[in-house]
Amino acid sequence: MGDPNAKYQSPLTSRYASPEMAANFSNNKRFGTWRRLWYNLAVAEKQLGLGGITDLALDQMKSNVDNIDYEVANQEEKKRRHDVMAHVHAFGLVAPEAAGIIHLGATSCFVTDNADLIIFRDAMDLLIGKLVCVISDLAQFAVKHKDLPTLGFTHFQPAQLTTVGKRATLWIQELLWDLRNMKRARDDLGFRGVKGTTGTQASFLALFAGDHDKVEQLDQLVTELSGFSTCYPVCGQTYSRKIDVDFLSPLASFGATAHRIATDIRLLANLKEIEEPFEKDQIGSSAMAYKRNPMRCERICSLSRHLMVLIGDVLQTASVQWLERTLDDSANRRISIPEACLTADIVLTTMQNVVEGLVVYPKVIERRIRSELPFMATENFIMAMVTKGGDRQECHEQIRVLSHQAAAVVKQEGGDNDLIDRVRACEYFAPIKDDLDELLNPATFIGRAPQQVDNFVANHVAPALAPYSAAIATKKPAELSV
């Protein structure tokens, strides 16, 4: 029974997730947070004058927050079929002086919901810390390659040139929106607070002999002791599951961004223009030894699809909560919300690993430009001929005929694009023969792409990352376990 390989393990934690995110959703974090909440409640109740809570009781609670006997708790839960009361019992055994006042006036959701909000906030902090590192690395990549012309694609068909760095800014812009959304969701998280069984605070009003002011003070004091500035002003037994929708929505949206970026890199890898890192001893295929499969980006796409669909769970859960509450949210939330955070964490770590090791092949990019640029440059040829006295319509017809001849060589004979050789050999174009090299310079086809990169990084990326400069400065290379 002790062999971990003898039973199913979620690959999210056993194979992919970072230690810090796995720890954030661990039993130690969850039940340790429950005990801290019970301690905060007792501290606040004593501070507001509630009798029967001794200093010794508080000392015992504080010193045993992380001293959790899971065997005792599990046995009690099996008997009582109630996880919160099982842990009340286990906590009372190691803090006997406090056994009679643990959970005083509270309902189960005081610990379960408030702990969830703490854990979700901490999870979002971890995700934001990783996201800003990805954005920072990608911004450096964009600046480094801002002047490198590359063939643009619309409909995945050759289009006008852009630059490798400019294309990267399209990815960064979406990631900046994800950062905005995640930060907003994180900052919008409040605390459920001390609300009682159906949200009326009746039990606490009874404890404080009808003193409404003290009940309100208790709510605010426990909120502040637990690290929040505000709590939700009203709730039923649980905080509204609409909060879970707001929390997961930016993660699902990020999943779409990550999938898009990873797909772009996979397409470019097929063209051999850009590749994700490939380690010296890495094997791409068990059969085809030469292969260099983009497995990291494929993993990002695979996990991002899972991340995007999890929003459906919280939407449906929020929609079917009856009146003050129903328990059909619990089992679903135990799976969907941790999995969303774990999956987003894995995607971000993998993205950072990819971006840190992106390989660009300028010669391949140059060759592809050479194969397509002659057709794109024909308008420049026409304009150059007109400036030297040529007739625009006649020039257009000459170019049309030569272009179709060159296209036939490419499509029907499998040859290289020889349009430029045909233009050079055509007496009609003699006036611009000496200008052809300049007219075909890729740098003249990229417009303001380099300037756009500089402006975007300076005016949009840098301000967005400024609050996270310490985290970015101390970041470590992203390592994948598999």
Side-chain angles (χ1 to χ4, degrees), residues 102 207 259 278 341 351 358 452 456:
I102 294 172
L207 282 176
H259 199 295
F278 195 90
C341 295
M351 283 187 71
L358 271 180
Q452 287 180 332
F456 177 69

Side-chain angles (χ1 to χ4, degrees), residues 196-326:
T197 55
T198 58
T200 65
Q201 299 177 310
S203 58
F204 296 103
L205 190 63
L207 282 176
F208 287 100
D211 191 328
H212 290 267
D213 289 339
K214 282 197 173 181
V215 174
E216 291 187 6
Q217 291 173 40
L218 178 71
D219 204 1
Q220 185 60 31
L221 183 54
V222 175
T223 296
E224 293 172 358
L225 288 171
S226 302
F228 288 79
S229 59
T230 59
C231 62
Y232 298 115
V234 295
C235 69
Q237 187 172 93
T238 69
Y239 69 77
S240 170
R241 296 317 185 209
K242 184 84 170 177
I243 301 302
D244 295 343
V245 177
D246 290 348
F247 179 76
L248 249 67
S249 291
L251 302 188
S253 180
F254 163 70
T257 302
H259 199 295
R260 179 265 170 100
I261 294 172
T263 300
D264 280 357
I265 295 173
R266 291 167 67 188
L267 293 171
L268 294 170
N270 176 263
L271 300 177
K272 297 180 174 59
E273 294 188 2
I274 291 180
E275 285 184 344
E276 66 179 40
F278 195 90
E279 297 165 11
K280 184 174 83 68
D281 296 323
Q282 182 175 332
I283 296 174
S285 168
S286 62
M288 295 166 280
Y290 60 88
K291 293 197 76 178
R292 294 168 66 97
N293 297 332
M295 52 81 65
R296 291 168 173 82
C297 286
E298 290 173 318
R299 179 181 298 172
I300 290 171
C301 290
S302 180
L303 291 171
S304 292
R305 291 198 300 273
H306 179 59
L307 179 56
M308 285 187 280
V309 301
L310 287 172
I311 187 66
D313 275 357
V314 294
L315 283 168
Q316 293 184 59
T317 296
S319 72
V320 298
Q321 291 305 289
W322 300 349
L323 306 175
E324 279 63 51
R325 85 104 21 122
T326 178

